[in-house]
Short mmCIF file of all heavy atoms in Angstrom, two decimals:
data_model
loop_
_atom_site.label_atom_id
_atom_site.label_comp_id
_atom_site.label_asym_id
_atom_site.label_seq_id
_atom_site.Cartn_x
_atom_site.Cartn_y
_atom_site.Cartn_z
N VAL Z 12 -45.55 -14.30 -30.89
CA VAL Z 12 -45.68 -14.58 -29.46
C VAL Z 12 -46.71 -15.69 -29.29
O VAL Z 12 -47.75 -15.69 -29.94
CB VAL Z 12 -46.18 -13.34 -28.67
CG1 VAL Z 12 -46.05 -13.55 -27.17
CG2 VAL Z 12 -45.45 -12.06 -29.10
N ALA Z 13 -46.36 -16.64 -28.42
CA ALA Z 13 -47.28 -17.81 -28.25
C ALA Z 13 -47.56 -18.00 -26.75
O ALA Z 13 -46.74 -17.73 -25.90
CB ALA Z 13 -46.67 -19.05 -28.81
N TYR Z 14 -48.80 -18.43 -26.45
CA TYR Z 14 -49.15 -18.92 -25.12
C TYR Z 14 -49.16 -20.44 -25.25
O TYR Z 14 -50.11 -20.99 -25.82
CB TYR Z 14 -50.52 -18.40 -24.67
CG TYR Z 14 -50.60 -16.89 -24.53
CD1 TYR Z 14 -51.20 -16.13 -25.49
CD2 TYR Z 14 -50.04 -16.26 -23.43
CE1 TYR Z 14 -51.29 -14.73 -25.35
CE2 TYR Z 14 -50.12 -14.90 -23.28
CZ TYR Z 14 -50.73 -14.13 -24.24
OH TYR Z 14 -50.81 -12.76 -24.12
N GLY Z 15 -48.17 -21.12 -24.80
CA GLY Z 15 -48.07 -22.57 -25.05
C GLY Z 15 -48.03 -22.82 -26.56
O GLY Z 15 -47.21 -22.25 -27.25
N ILE Z 17 -50.51 -22.05 -28.53
CA ILE Z 17 -51.39 -21.10 -29.26
C ILE Z 17 -50.59 -19.85 -29.59
O ILE Z 17 -50.11 -19.14 -28.71
CB ILE Z 17 -52.63 -20.74 -28.40
CG1 ILE Z 17 -53.43 -22.04 -28.15
CG2 ILE Z 17 -53.47 -19.70 -29.15
CD1 ILE Z 17 -54.47 -21.85 -27.07
N GLU Z 18 -50.47 -19.59 -30.89
CA GLU Z 18 -49.77 -18.40 -31.34
C GLU Z 18 -50.75 -17.22 -31.36
O GLU Z 18 -51.69 -17.23 -32.12
CB GLU Z 18 -49.18 -18.63 -32.72
CG GLU Z 18 -47.95 -17.81 -32.93
CD GLU Z 18 -47.19 -18.16 -34.24
OE1 GLU Z 18 -47.87 -18.39 -35.26
OE2 GLU Z 18 -45.98 -18.26 -34.16
N ALA Z 19 -50.51 -16.23 -30.48
CA ALA Z 19 -51.42 -15.10 -30.38
C ALA Z 19 -50.96 -13.95 -31.31
O ALA Z 19 -51.76 -13.18 -31.78
CB ALA Z 19 -51.49 -14.61 -28.94
N VAL Z 20 -49.66 -13.87 -31.56
CA VAL Z 20 -49.13 -12.89 -32.50
C VAL Z 20 -48.31 -13.64 -33.54
O VAL Z 20 -47.40 -14.39 -33.21
CB VAL Z 20 -48.27 -11.82 -31.76
CG1 VAL Z 20 -47.60 -10.88 -32.73
CG2 VAL Z 20 -49.13 -11.04 -30.75
N LEU Z 35 -52.53 0.64 -32.74
CA LEU Z 35 -52.91 -0.69 -33.16
C LEU Z 35 -54.37 -0.83 -32.82
O LEU Z 35 -54.77 -0.67 -31.65
CB LEU Z 35 -52.14 -1.79 -32.38
CG LEU Z 35 -50.60 -1.77 -32.41
CD1 LEU Z 35 -50.05 -2.90 -31.51
CD2 LEU Z 35 -50.09 -1.98 -33.82
N ILE Z 36 -55.19 -1.08 -33.86
CA ILE Z 36 -56.61 -1.29 -33.57
C ILE Z 36 -57.01 -2.69 -33.96
O ILE Z 36 -56.24 -3.40 -34.64
CB ILE Z 36 -57.48 -0.23 -34.31
CG1 ILE Z 36 -57.35 -0.33 -35.82
CG2 ILE Z 36 -57.20 1.18 -33.85
CD1 ILE Z 36 -58.39 0.43 -36.62
N GLY Z 37 -58.19 -3.11 -33.55
CA GLY Z 37 -58.65 -4.46 -33.88
C GLY Z 37 -59.59 -4.95 -32.79
O GLY Z 37 -59.61 -4.41 -31.71
N THR Z 38 -60.33 -6.01 -33.10
CA THR Z 38 -61.32 -6.52 -32.19
C THR Z 38 -60.69 -7.28 -31.03
O THR Z 38 -59.47 -7.50 -31.02
CB THR Z 38 -62.28 -7.44 -32.91
OG1 THR Z 38 -61.50 -8.37 -33.66
CG2 THR Z 38 -63.23 -6.70 -33.83
N ASN Z 39 -61.50 -7.71 -30.09
CA ASN Z 39 -61.05 -8.54 -28.97
C ASN Z 39 -60.24 -9.75 -29.44
O ASN Z 39 -60.63 -10.40 -30.39
CB ASN Z 39 -62.27 -9.15 -28.24
CG ASN Z 39 -62.83 -8.15 -27.26
OD1 ASN Z 39 -62.09 -7.40 -26.65
ND2 ASN Z 39 -64.14 -8.17 -27.08
N GLY Z 40 -59.15 -9.98 -28.76
CA GLY Z 40 -58.36 -11.20 -29.05
C GLY Z 40 -57.48 -11.11 -30.29
O GLY Z 40 -56.86 -12.07 -30.69
N ALA Z 41 -57.35 -9.89 -30.85
CA ALA Z 41 -56.52 -9.74 -32.05
C ALA Z 41 -55.02 -9.87 -31.74
O ALA Z 41 -54.23 -10.14 -32.66
CB ALA Z 41 -56.82 -8.41 -32.72
N GLY Z 42 -54.65 -9.68 -30.48
CA GLY Z 42 -53.26 -9.77 -30.13
C GLY Z 42 -52.60 -8.48 -29.78
O GLY Z 42 -51.38 -8.37 -29.63
N LYS Z 43 -53.38 -7.43 -29.59
CA LYS Z 43 -52.85 -6.11 -29.34
C LYS Z 43 -52.17 -6.04 -27.95
O LYS Z 43 -51.03 -5.58 -27.83
CB LYS Z 43 -53.96 -5.03 -29.42
CG LYS Z 43 -54.74 -5.10 -30.70
CD LYS Z 43 -55.88 -4.08 -30.77
CE LYS Z 43 -56.94 -4.19 -29.70
NZ LYS Z 43 -57.77 -5.39 -29.75
N THR Z 44 -52.91 -6.48 -26.92
CA THR Z 44 -52.34 -6.47 -25.57
C THR Z 44 -51.10 -7.36 -25.50
O THR Z 44 -50.09 -6.99 -24.87
CB THR Z 44 -53.41 -6.92 -24.55
OG1 THR Z 44 -54.48 -5.96 -24.57
CG2 THR Z 44 -52.85 -7.00 -23.13
N THR Z 45 -51.17 -8.52 -26.15
CA THR Z 45 -50.04 -9.43 -26.16
C THR Z 45 -48.81 -8.74 -26.75
O THR Z 45 -47.70 -8.90 -26.26
CB THR Z 45 -50.40 -10.72 -26.98
OG1 THR Z 45 -51.56 -11.33 -26.37
CG2 THR Z 45 -49.24 -11.69 -27.02
N THR Z 46 -49.02 -7.98 -27.81
CA THR Z 46 -47.91 -7.26 -28.42
C THR Z 46 -47.30 -6.26 -27.44
O THR Z 46 -46.09 -6.24 -27.26
CB THR Z 46 -48.42 -6.49 -29.69
OG1 THR Z 46 -48.97 -7.44 -30.58
CG2 THR Z 46 -47.31 -5.73 -30.40
N LEU Z 47 -48.13 -5.46 -26.75
CA LEU Z 47 -47.60 -4.51 -25.80
C LEU Z 47 -46.88 -5.19 -24.65
O LEU Z 47 -45.81 -4.75 -24.21
CB LEU Z 47 -48.69 -3.61 -25.24
CG LEU Z 47 -49.37 -2.61 -26.18
CD1 LEU Z 47 -50.11 -1.54 -25.38
CD2 LEU Z 47 -48.38 -1.95 -27.14
N ARG Z 48 -47.46 -6.26 -24.16
CA ARG Z 48 -46.82 -6.99 -23.04
C ARG Z 48 -45.47 -7.56 -23.44
O ARG Z 48 -44.55 -7.68 -22.62
CB ARG Z 48 -47.76 -8.08 -22.51
CG ARG Z 48 -48.95 -7.47 -21.73
CD ARG Z 48 -49.92 -8.56 -21.27
NE ARG Z 48 -49.36 -9.52 -20.35
CZ ARG Z 48 -49.17 -9.31 -19.06
NH1 ARG Z 48 -49.52 -8.17 -18.51
NH2 ARG Z 48 -48.61 -10.23 -18.26
N LEU Z 54 -43.68 -10.69 -21.62
CA LEU Z 54 -43.77 -11.97 -22.34
C LEU Z 54 -42.56 -12.11 -23.24
O LEU Z 54 -42.04 -11.13 -23.73
CB LEU Z 54 -45.05 -12.01 -23.22
CG LEU Z 54 -46.41 -11.96 -22.53
CD1 LEU Z 54 -47.50 -11.74 -23.58
CD2 LEU Z 54 -46.66 -13.27 -21.76
N GLU Z 86 -53.71 -2.19 -19.65
CA GLU Z 86 -55.16 -2.33 -19.72
C GLU Z 86 -55.64 -2.58 -18.28
O GLU Z 86 -55.01 -3.30 -17.53
CB GLU Z 86 -55.46 -3.55 -20.56
CG GLU Z 86 -56.88 -3.68 -21.00
CD GLU Z 86 -57.05 -4.90 -21.93
OE1 GLU Z 86 -56.12 -5.72 -22.04
OE2 GLU Z 86 -58.12 -4.98 -22.53
N ASP Z 162 -52.52 1.04 -23.24
CA ASP Z 162 -53.39 -0.07 -23.61
C ASP Z 162 -54.83 0.27 -23.30
O ASP Z 162 -55.22 0.32 -22.10
CB ASP Z 162 -52.98 -1.36 -22.89
CG ASP Z 162 -53.56 -2.60 -23.56
OD1 ASP Z 162 -54.44 -2.41 -24.43
OD2 ASP Z 162 -53.18 -3.72 -23.20
N GLU Z 163 -55.60 0.53 -24.32
CA GLU Z 163 -57.04 0.82 -24.19
C GLU Z 163 -57.38 1.88 -23.13
O GLU Z 163 -58.14 1.59 -22.21
CB GLU Z 163 -57.80 -0.46 -23.87
CG GLU Z 163 -57.50 -1.52 -24.90
CD GLU Z 163 -58.75 -2.21 -25.39
OE1 GLU Z 163 -59.84 -1.86 -25.01
OE2 GLU Z 163 -58.58 -3.14 -26.20
N MET Z 166 -61.14 2.49 -22.34
CA MET Z 166 -62.02 1.38 -21.97
C MET Z 166 -62.89 1.74 -20.76
O MET Z 166 -62.40 2.14 -19.72
CB MET Z 166 -61.19 0.14 -21.64
CG MET Z 166 -62.09 -1.10 -21.50
SD MET Z 166 -61.10 -2.56 -21.52
CE MET Z 166 -60.13 -2.40 -20.07
N VAL Z 193 -52.94 1.34 -28.08
CA VAL Z 193 -53.82 0.22 -28.43
C VAL Z 193 -55.24 0.65 -28.11
O VAL Z 193 -55.51 1.14 -27.00
CB VAL Z 193 -53.38 -1.01 -27.66
CG1 VAL Z 193 -54.57 -2.01 -27.56
CG2 VAL Z 193 -52.21 -1.71 -28.34
N GLU Z 194 -56.16 0.49 -29.05
CA GLU Z 194 -57.52 0.92 -28.83
C GLU Z 194 -58.53 0.05 -29.56
O GLU Z 194 -58.29 -0.42 -30.64
CB GLU Z 194 -57.72 2.39 -29.32
CG GLU Z 194 -57.68 3.44 -28.26
CD GLU Z 194 -58.75 3.28 -27.23
OE1 GLU Z 194 -59.83 2.68 -27.46
OE2 GLU Z 194 -58.54 3.76 -26.09
N GLN Z 195 -59.68 -0.14 -28.88
CA GLN Z 195 -60.80 -0.74 -29.58
C GLN Z 195 -61.65 0.31 -30.21
O GLN Z 195 -62.37 0.06 -31.17
CB GLN Z 195 -61.64 -1.58 -28.61
CG GLN Z 195 -61.00 -2.89 -28.32
CD GLN Z 195 -61.99 -3.93 -27.86
OE1 GLN Z 195 -63.11 -3.99 -28.34
NE2 GLN Z 195 -61.57 -4.74 -26.91
N MET Z 210 -55.17 -5.00 -36.64
CA MET Z 210 -54.84 -6.38 -36.31
C MET Z 210 -56.03 -7.27 -36.32
O MET Z 210 -57.08 -6.91 -35.84
CB MET Z 210 -54.14 -6.46 -34.93
CG MET Z 210 -52.71 -5.95 -34.95
SD MET Z 210 -51.87 -6.33 -33.39
CE MET Z 210 -51.51 -8.08 -33.53
N VAL Z 212 -56.76 -11.51 -35.62
CA VAL Z 212 -56.19 -12.83 -35.19
C VAL Z 212 -54.67 -12.94 -35.36
O VAL Z 212 -54.18 -13.81 -36.02
CB VAL Z 212 -56.91 -14.03 -35.83
CG1 VAL Z 212 -58.24 -14.25 -35.14
CG2 VAL Z 212 -57.10 -13.89 -37.32
N GLY Z 213 -53.98 -12.03 -34.68
CA GLY Z 213 -52.54 -12.15 -34.60
C GLY Z 213 -51.73 -11.55 -35.75
O GLY Z 213 -50.50 -11.64 -35.74
P1 ATP D 301 -58.46 -7.41 -26.02
O1 ATP D 301 -58.84 -6.10 -26.56
O2 ATP D 301 -59.63 -8.26 -25.71
O3 ATP D 301 -57.50 -7.35 -24.90
P2 ATP D 301 -56.26 -8.08 -27.70
O4 ATP D 301 -56.21 -7.72 -29.16
O5 ATP D 301 -55.52 -7.23 -26.79
O6 ATP D 301 -57.77 -8.14 -27.25
P3 ATP D 301 -54.85 -10.28 -26.60
O7 ATP D 301 -55.33 -10.00 -25.19
O8 ATP D 301 -53.50 -9.95 -26.97
O9 ATP D 301 -55.81 -9.57 -27.64
O10 ATP D 301 -55.12 -11.81 -26.92
C1 ATP D 301 -54.70 -12.48 -28.09
C2 ATP D 301 -55.05 -13.94 -28.01
O11 ATP D 301 -54.25 -14.57 -27.04
C3 ATP D 301 -56.52 -14.26 -27.66
O12 ATP D 301 -56.94 -15.33 -28.41
C4 ATP D 301 -56.44 -14.58 -26.18
O13 ATP D 301 -57.47 -15.45 -25.80
C5 ATP D 301 -55.07 -15.22 -26.06
N1 ATP D 301 -54.51 -15.02 -24.73
C6 ATP D 301 -54.29 -13.82 -24.13
N2 ATP D 301 -53.70 -14.00 -22.93
C7 ATP D 301 -53.55 -15.33 -22.76
C8 ATP D 301 -52.97 -16.13 -21.72
N3 ATP D 301 -52.46 -15.61 -20.61
N4 ATP D 301 -52.98 -17.47 -21.92
C9 ATP D 301 -53.52 -18.01 -23.04
N5 ATP D 301 -54.01 -17.32 -24.06
C10 ATP D 301 -54.06 -15.97 -23.93
#
Side-chain angles (χ1 to χ4, degrees):
V12 192
Y14 296 103
I17 299 166
E18 208 172 43
V20 174
L35 303 177
I36 61 167
T38 49
N39 275 326
K43 307 178 301 293
T44 296
T45 301
T46 301
L47 292 197
R48 288 177 62 80
L54 295 170
E86 194 176 12
D162 196 351
E163 305 225 5
M166 190 166 65
V193 157
E194 261 297 337
Q195 281 203 38
M210 283 189 77
V212 284

